Amino acid sequence: MPAFKDDQIIVIEPGSETTLAQLGLAESLTPARLRVRSRMFPAEKEGEWEPYKIRRRADLSGKPTEGQNGTAEGDEAKKTAGGDDDEVVYEEDRVSEEGAVWPIQQGRITNWPCFFALITHVYNTLNPPFHTPILLIAQPSWTPREHEKLTQFFFEKFKTPAFGLMDAALATSWAYGVHTSTIVDVGKDKVDVTAISEFIPHITGRVTALDGCGGEALTEGLLAKLKSKKFTRAMCEQLKKSPICEILPPGVPVPGSGEVGDQETITNPASAASTGAPGSGAAAASGLGNVPRGPGIDTEVGDEANGDGEENEGVLDVASIVAGGKMSEYLAKKEKEKQDKALAKKKGAEAPKTDNRPVRLPNAKREKATFMYEDHALLDTLKNMNLGTKGMAEAHAALDEGPQKKPQEDQDGEPRSVVEANGNTELGPAISKTGHIRREIEVGAERFQAASNGVLERIADAIHRTISSVDEVNKRSELWESLVICGNGSRVRGFKEALLATLQSKYLISPSSATMFTSEIPSNISTPTGTGANTPQPQLGPHGGSSGVNPLLLAATTAQNPHMLPPGANPLMSSHNTHSSHGQTPTNIKFVKPPEYFPEWKDVGFDEAAFLGAQVAAKVLFVVDQGASKGYMTRPDYNDQGPTGIHDYGL
């Protein structure tokens, strides 16, 4: 078989929410060029699937012609239009996910026809040449039978000349370039914890698809805190992805709770109440601004609420207001608010500048903050109202609270703006009817409590169980010192730092702890006293034998430094004097430093490091190794052995 080239290789990583893929390997490995949502829509014909929601375009007469993906509503729309298929115009709605089917749940494939349709859509989008090998990143929860099913599909459907499966945790270790590590993959609705020793995943004790610990659990935590304020699940999901959502480490007080952290002790309550300084003097107030603290106008925290009790009770359901026929009243109210804001901004610009400007506090110290929410439910409601192109543009312009881009003019003089869709920049109408409608929403200290439902504690327990299950006791300390937290579920601000702090508070044991030297001392061994001498043992003489040094203490201090042993001393002491190095409990917990030789990944982060590791492996297996180590299965191998032969190939 001829050797493969870099530009012929396909790498695919299916995920519960996003599927990554790429055709060809760049000289400097880059993040995935193709990102698609891991969902499909039922087509009009049963058993077929569409990658996007299909809507029937509203005609100029404003007739109710809405239909989608072969539903009964769509058939009724055809009858309304007169039954002539030539007059029916359909369009793809690339924004809406109403009626979508997600074939991967908690890392497991739950709908195989939909999953195969998703992979086919990804393959057709890449549009590869004929002689193209494929490397698929496998989730830890996939069974050997499912590996065979996938192998059969790729060879029979795409006629690929070579196919390989690579474990997601192993791919992450390849990306970081570490042979021994603990991989914690935080996904959408699950967490996988894998201990890898010398590039070999440990199957015993491996935690796969741990429920209630992924990104969905963080969304549920926000929803539990904000449901009383009329926040929906979609709002909490976007709040979780915004910069103002943050997970604080254990012991750090939530702003507005009245608690004080260990790192800041208040010695002057009056100063703390007025200026925020914990004590008196210039040193305590050096980092503070010149304006007083507390809610209210012209303070550090910011202006207080405007007194509108109805709006402060919760978030308005604008979609219900619009659907209920009160859109004109709501638009008039929003227009008045915009005018008031513009007037206040103008007055602020005319006011004389002073040095007493408010200090911008970090997010972790602000009681309230705002974020931009993309209201997909409101957009769907407007589309279902069949307002037409002009009416849709007017409603979009009136309801959108986000910053507007400066419109451009085309050759006919009609205002047009730059519209970004699926990463492509193109000229479109001044107001795109498929564009998002953004709303500014304020949220309080609840944004810090996404992990208040015990998510971090459950993940920490899973890490401890996985490492403790490793048979090689001497490897456990190295596994604790080589933690890798990846997965898009860990993108929440402060998640990794809070998880590390939780692990250290629950499982870390100080090397200087006295129990390290006395917990396993046999009764016939002398122990140190407060004066530094050893307690005498009759059978060992006045000082515990020929040496005045505690043998267990000597073994513990020289285990990692053999050169400290006295001349002629035997490092292999008797069995009851041998120290176990306490491999079952960590004395140091830290993260692996990300690689520095992938500049394209530094900006986006290494949360999707499994895809990077798969690219490294694909280059090694398909180009350098060329099948010598049986890293992938070729077409002749598949013809001879069938799908079951995939178990003999791989890393």
Side-chain angles (χ1 to χ4, degrees), residues 60 66 69 192 221 224 257 288 358 394 409 496 503 596 609 622 631:
L60 298 178
E66 174 64 24
N69 295 88
D192 299 321
S257 62
L288 299 177
E394 293 176 352
E409 291 188 359
K496 299 176 182 178
L503 286 169
E596 299 180 352
F622 292 113

Side-chain angles (χ1 to χ4, degrees), residues 11-30:
V11 180
I12 302 177
E13 181 186 4
S16 299
E17 186 168 3
T18 306
T19 296
L20 309 179
Q22 183 167 311
L23 171 62
L25 304 177
E27 183 176 353
S28 178
L29 302 181
T30 62

Side-chain angles (χ1 to χ4, degrees), residues 304-366:
E304 189 144 309
N306 56 10
D308 192 350
E310 181 180 355
E311 287 195 9
N312 291 331
E313 290 180 358
V315 180
L316 290 177
D317 188 359
V318 182
S320 299
I321 295 176
V322 172
K326 299 180 180 180
M327 184 171 68
S328 57
E329 300 177 7
Y330 181 77
L331 293 181
K333 182 179 179 181
K334 295 301 295 182
E335 185 64 26
K336 185 177 183 301
E337 291 179 359
K338 289 182 180 180
Q339 293 177 359
D340 294 342
K341 285 184 179 180
L343 183 60
K345 187 176 181 180
K346 184 177 180 181
K347 289 182 178 180
E350 295 175 354
K353 294 183 179 180
T354 62
D355 294 335
N356 295 335
R357 288 173 292 181
V359 178
R360 184 174 180 85
L361 294 175
N363 179 66
K365 294 184 179 181
R366 284 187 289 170

Side-chain angles (χ1 to χ4, degrees), residues 12-14 119 134-138 142 150 154 163-166:
I12 302 177
E13 181 186 4
I119 296 298
I134 300 175
L135 180 63
L136 181 70
I137 302 177
W142 292 356
L150 290 167
F154 276 90
F163 174 73
L165 282 169
M166 187 176 189

Side-chain angles (χ1 to χ4, degrees), residues 12-21 36-39 102-109 115 118-119 122 136-139 142 185 187-190 488:
I12 302 177
E13 181 186 4
S16 299
E17 186 168 3
T18 306
T19 296
L20 309 179
V36 299
R37 304 281 285 171
S38 300
R39 83 288 186 259
W102 302 80
I104 305 177
Q105 301 290 336
Q106 297 182 354
R108 302 184 179 94
I109 302 175
F115 176 78
L118 172 65
I119 296 298
V122 171
L136 181 70
I137 302 177
Q139 295 296 322
W142 292 356
D185 187 356
K188 177 184 178 183
D189 44 14
K190 56 86 181 178
N488 288 325

Side-chain angles (χ1 to χ4, degrees), residues 251-266:
V252 178
V254 177
S257 62
E259 301 177 0
V260 180
D262 299 336
Q263 71 279 4
E264 184 180 55
T265 303
I266 294 179

Side-chain angles (χ1 to χ4, degrees), residues 43 48 109 159 192 208 218 285 344 472 478 509 524 546 591 648:
E48 296 183 357
I109 302 175
K159 311 299 181 183
D192 299 321
T208 59
L218 301 178
E472 302 171 273
E478 188 174 356
I509 291 184
N524 62 340
S546 59
F591 292 141
D648 299 330

